[in-house]
Coordinates of all heavy atoms in Angstrom, one line a residue:
S539 N 18.7 -12.7 -17.4 CA 17.9 -13.3 -18.4 C 18.4 -14.7 -18.8 O 17.7 -15.6 -18.9 CB 17.9 -12.4 -19.7 OG 17.0 -13.0 -20.7
E540 N 19.8 -14.7 -19.0 CA 20.3 -16.0 -19.4 C 20.3 -17.1 -18.2 O 20.0 -18.2 -18.5 CB 21.8 -15.8 -19.7 CG 22.6 -17.1 -20.2 CD 23.1 -17.9 -19.0 OE1 23.4 -17.3 -18.0 OE2 23.3 -19.1 -19.2
S541 N 20.3 -16.6 -17.0 CA 20.2 -17.4 -15.8 C 18.8 -18.0 -15.7 O 18.7 -19.2 -15.5 CB 20.5 -16.6 -14.5 OG 21.9 -16.3 -14.5
L542 N 17.8 -17.2 -16.0 CA 16.4 -17.7 -16.0 C 16.2 -18.8 -17.1 O 15.6 -19.8 -16.9 CB 15.4 -16.6 -16.1 CG 15.2 -15.8 -14.8 CD1 14.4 -14.5 -15.1 CD2 14.7 -16.5 -13.6
D543 N 16.8 -18.5 -18.3 CA 16.7 -19.4 -19.4 C 17.3 -20.7 -19.1 O 16.8 -21.8 -19.4 CB 17.4 -18.8 -20.7 CG 16.5 -17.6 -21.3 OD1 15.3 -17.6 -21.0 OD2 17.1 -16.8 -22.0
R544 N 18.5 -20.6 -18.5 CA 19.2 -21.8 -18.1 C 18.5 -22.7 -17.1 O 18.4 -23.9 -17.2 CB 20.6 -21.4 -17.5 CG 21.5 -22.5 -17.2 CD 22.8 -21.9 -16.7 NE 23.7 -22.8 -16.0 CZ 24.8 -22.4 -15.4 NH1 25.2 -21.1 -15.5 NH2 25.6 -23.3 -14.8
M545 N 17.8 -22.0 -16.1 CA 17.0 -22.8 -15.1 C 15.8 -23.4 -15.8 O 15.5 -24.6 -15.6 CB 16.6 -21.8 -14.0 CG 15.6 -22.4 -13.0 SD 14.8 -21.2 -12.0 CE 13.5 -20.6 -13.2
L546 N 15.1 -22.7 -16.6 CA 13.9 -23.2 -17.2 C 14.1 -24.3 -18.2 O 13.3 -25.2 -18.4 CB 13.1 -22.0 -17.9 CG 12.5 -21.0 -16.9 CD1 12.0 -19.8 -17.7 CD2 11.4 -21.6 -16.1
A547 N 15.3 -24.2 -18.8 CA 15.6 -25.2 -19.9 C 16.2 -26.5 -19.3 O 16.2 -27.5 -20.0 CB 16.5 -24.6 -20.9
H548 N 16.6 -26.4 -18.0 CA 17.3 -27.6 -17.5 C 16.4 -28.8 -17.4 O 15.2 -28.7 -16.9 CB 17.9 -27.2 -16.1 CG 18.7 -28.3 -15.5 ND1 20.0 -28.6 -15.9 CD2 18.4 -29.2 -14.5 CE1 20.4 -29.6 -15.1 NE2 19.5 -30.0 -14.3
D549 N 16.9 -29.9 -17.7 CA 16.1 -31.2 -17.7 C 16.2 -31.8 -16.3 O 17.0 -32.7 -16.1 CB 16.6 -32.2 -18.8 CG 15.7 -33.4 -18.8 OD1 14.6 -33.4 -18.3 OD2 16.2 -34.4 -19.4
G550 N 15.4 -31.4 -15.3 CA 15.5 -31.8 -14.0 C 15.3 -30.7 -13.0 O 15.1 -29.5 -13.4
P551 N 15.4 -31.0 -11.7 CA 15.3 -29.9 -10.7 C 16.5 -29.0 -10.8 O 17.6 -29.4 -11.1 CB 15.2 -30.7 -9.4 CG 15.9 -32.0 -9.7 CD 15.6 -32.3 -11.1
Y552 N 16.2 -27.7 -10.4 CA 17.3 -26.7 -10.6 C 17.1 -25.6 -9.5 O 16.0 -25.2 -9.2 CB 17.3 -26.1 -11.9 CG 18.6 -25.4 -12.3 CD1 19.5 -26.1 -13.0 CD2 18.8 -24.0 -12.0 CE1 20.8 -25.5 -13.4 CE2 19.9 -23.4 -12.4 CZ 20.9 -24.1 -13.1 OH 22.1 -23.5 -13.4
L553 N 18.2 -25.2 -8.9 CA 18.2 -24.1 -8.0 C 18.9 -22.8 -8.5 O 20.1 -23.0 -8.8 CB 18.8 -24.5 -6.6 CG 18.8 -23.4 -5.5 CD1 17.4 -23.1 -5.1 CD2 19.7 -23.9 -4.3
L554 N 18.2 -21.8 -8.6 CA 18.8 -20.5 -9.0 C 18.8 -19.5 -7.8 O 17.7 -19.2 -7.3 CB 18.1 -19.9 -10.2 CG 18.5 -18.5 -10.6 CD1 20.0 -18.5 -11.1 CD2 17.6 -17.9 -11.7
E555 N 20.0 -19.1 -7.4 CA 20.1 -18.1 -6.4 C 20.3 -16.8 -7.0 O 21.3 -16.6 -7.8 CB 21.3 -18.5 -5.4 CG 21.4 -17.4 -4.4 CD 22.8 -17.6 -3.5 OE1 23.7 -18.3 -4.1 OE2 22.9 -17.1 -2.4
V556 N 19.5 -15.8 -6.7 CA 19.6 -14.5 -7.3 C 20.0 -13.5 -6.1 O 19.2 -13.4 -5.2 CB 18.4 -14.0 -8.0 CG1 18.6 -12.6 -8.6 CG2 18.0 -15.0 -9.1
I557 N 21.1 -12.9 -6.2 CA 21.5 -11.9 -5.1 C 20.8 -10.6 -5.5 O 21.0 -10.0 -6.5 CB 23.1 -11.7 -5.1 CG1 23.7 -13.0 -5.0 CG2 23.4 -10.7 -4.0 CD1 23.4 -13.8 -3.8
V558 N 19.9 -10.1 -4.6 CA 19.1 -8.9 -4.8 C 19.4 -7.9 -3.9 O 20.2 -8.1 -2.9 CB 17.6 -9.3 -4.7 CG1 17.2 -10.3 -5.7 CG2 17.2 -9.8 -3.3
E559 N 18.9 -6.7 -4.1 CA 19.1 -5.5 -3.3 C 18.7 -5.8 -1.9 O 17.7 -6.3 -1.6 CB 18.3 -4.3 -3.9 CG 18.5 -3.0 -3.1 CD 17.7 -1.9 -3.7 OE1 17.4 -2.0 -4.9 OE2 17.4 -0.9 -3.0
K560 N 19.6 -5.4 -0.9 CA 19.4 -5.8 0.5 C 18.2 -5.1 1.1 O 17.5 -5.7 1.9 CB 20.7 -5.5 1.3 CG 21.9 -6.4 1.0 CD 22.9 -6.4 2.0 CE 22.5 -7.0 3.4 NZ 23.6 -7.1 4.3
E561 N 18.0 -3.8 0.9 CA 17.0 -3.1 1.6 C 15.9 -2.6 0.7 O 15.3 -1.5 0.9 CB 17.6 -1.9 2.4 CG 18.7 -2.4 3.4 CD 19.1 -1.3 4.4 OE1 18.2 -0.6 4.9 OE2 20.3 -1.1 4.5
E562 N 15.5 -3.4 -0.2 CA 14.3 -3.1 -1.1 C 13.1 -3.3 -0.2 O 12.9 -4.3 0.5 CB 14.3 -4.0 -2.3 CG 13.2 -3.8 -3.3 CD 13.2 -4.7 -4.4 OE1 14.1 -5.7 -4.4 OE2 12.4 -4.6 -5.3
N563 N 12.1 -2.4 -0.4 CA 10.8 -2.5 0.3 C 9.7 -2.8 -0.7 O 9.8 -2.6 -1.9 CB 10.5 -1.2 1.0 CG 11.4 -1.0 2.3 OD1 11.9 -2.0 2.8 ND2 11.6 0.2 2.6
V564 N 8.6 -3.4 -0.1 CA 7.4 -3.7 -0.9 C 6.4 -2.7 -0.7 O 6.0 -2.4 0.4 CB 6.9 -5.1 -0.5 CG1 5.7 -5.5 -1.4 CG2 8.0 -6.2 -0.6
F565 N 6.0 -2.0 -1.8 CA 4.9 -1.1 -1.7 C 3.9 -1.4 -2.9 O 4.4 -2.0 -3.9 CB 5.4 0.4 -1.9 CG 6.1 0.8 -0.6 CD1 7.5 1.0 -0.6 CD2 5.4 1.1 0.5 CE1 8.1 1.4 0.6 CE2 6.1 1.6 1.7 CZ 7.4 1.7 1.7
P566 N 2.7 -1.1 -2.8 CA 1.9 -0.3 -1.8 C 1.9 -1.1 -0.4 O 2.2 -2.3 -0.4 CB 0.5 -0.1 -2.3 CG 0.7 -0.3 -3.8 CD 1.8 -1.3 -4.0
M567 N 1.5 -0.4 0.6 CA 1.4 -1.1 1.9 C 0.4 -0.4 2.8 O 0.4 0.8 2.9 CB 2.8 -1.0 2.6 CG 2.8 -1.6 4.0 SD 4.4 -1.6 4.8 CE 4.1 -2.5 6.3
V568 N -0.5 -1.2 3.3 CA -1.5 -0.7 4.3 C -0.9 -1.0 5.7 O -0.9 -2.2 6.0 CB -2.9 -1.4 4.2 CG1 -3.8 -0.9 5.2 CG2 -3.4 -1.2 2.8

Side-chain angles (χ1 to χ4, degrees):
S539 179
E540 184 274 333
S541 290
L542 289 171
D543 288 338
R544 183 173 164 188
M545 177 195 73
L546 292 169
H548 185 75
D549 183 19
Y552 199 91
L553 178 66
L554 173 62
E555 177 190 21
V556 182
I557 308 301
V558 297
E559 183 179 333
K560 288 195 67 169
E561 296 190 52
E562 180 182 5
N563 289 333
V564 182
F565 290 105
M567 179 178 184
V568 179

